[in-house]
Amino acid sequence: MTILAAIDLTHPEDEAKVLKRARQIADLDNRRLAVVTVLPDYHSSWVGSFFPEEHTHEMVEASRKALHRYIEETVGHDEETKHVVRVGNVYDGVLETAEELNSVLIVMGAHKPGLADILIGPNAARVARYAKCSVYIVR
């Protein structure tokens, strides 16, 4: 059973709070930490024809390296931490990963306050609505 942190590598300064909180909760509960980032699937839309076939594979490999580096720089090296890179939409990727890893908690961020401070982002809202485990939203 794991604590799953869902992070967006395009906003590393914002996501550091999410990753640090997930690490803290995993340590307190003596659980394994898993970290997932979900990349867009460019081949599933009309723009897919503009990208070479190997683009997705290269993007996943570069993101895997960046994820490893980011986790180590943010919360330190841990052999037990699982690193997951998915391609598709964020909420499906997070929910599928949580289910595959038998996660007891998903930790993720909400969008930055702005338009409506009382709302959470659409991905966080969907994950919270459909997850089979608890969801912790970090602001």
Side-chain angles (χ1 to χ4, degrees), residues 40-52 55:
D41 183 4
Y42 293 111
H43 287 291
S44 68
S45 67
W46 68 271
V47 298
S49 63
F50 295 105
F51 293 95
H55 175 75

Side-chain angles (χ1 to χ4, degrees), residues 10-36:
T10 61
H11 301 291
E13 62 286 342
D14 297 331
E15 297 298 320
K17 291 189 297 188
V18 173
L19 186 54
K20 288 176 182 178
R21 180 58 53 130
R23 170 84 274 162
Q24 181 182 44
I25 294 168
D27 288 346
L28 285 171
D29 207 24
N30 200 26
R31 303 259 184 204
R32 182 178 187 190
L33 176 65
V35 183
V36 64

Side-chain angles (χ1 to χ4, degrees), residues 6 28-29 38 46 54 72 92 96 107 112 120 130 133:
L28 285 171
D29 207 24
V38 183
W46 68 271
E54 66 275 355
E72 189 165 326
D92 281 339
E96 288 169 8
V107 181
K112 288 185 176 185
I120 60 176
Y130 295 107
C133 63

Side-chain angles (χ1 to χ4, degrees), residues 54-131:
E54 66 275 355
H55 175 75
T56 299
H57 176 72
E58 291 170 0
M59 190 172 64
V60 168
E61 286 308 308
S63 295
R64 189 176 318 282
K65 290 176 185 173
L67 181 62
H68 281 274
R69 189 172 46 255
Y70 180 72
I71 292 169
E72 189 165 326
E73 290 171 357
T74 306
V75 295
H77 180 73
D78 175 10
E79 292 290 329
E80 294 297 314
T81 299
K82 183 158 181 65
H83 306 80
V84 180
V85 176
R86 288 202 176 259
V87 177
N89 65 55
V90 173
Y91 51 89
D92 281 339
V94 172
L95 292 170
E96 288 169 8
T97 303
E99 193 163 326
E100 287 171 6
L101 299 177
N102 198 22
S103 297
V104 295
L105 179 69
I106 299 169
V107 181
M108 64 187 305
H111 69 73
K112 288 185 176 185
L115 181 61
D117 291 338
I118 60 170
L119 299 176
I120 60 176
N123 289 316
R126 275 196 163 154
V127 169
R129 185 177 307 121
Y130 295 107

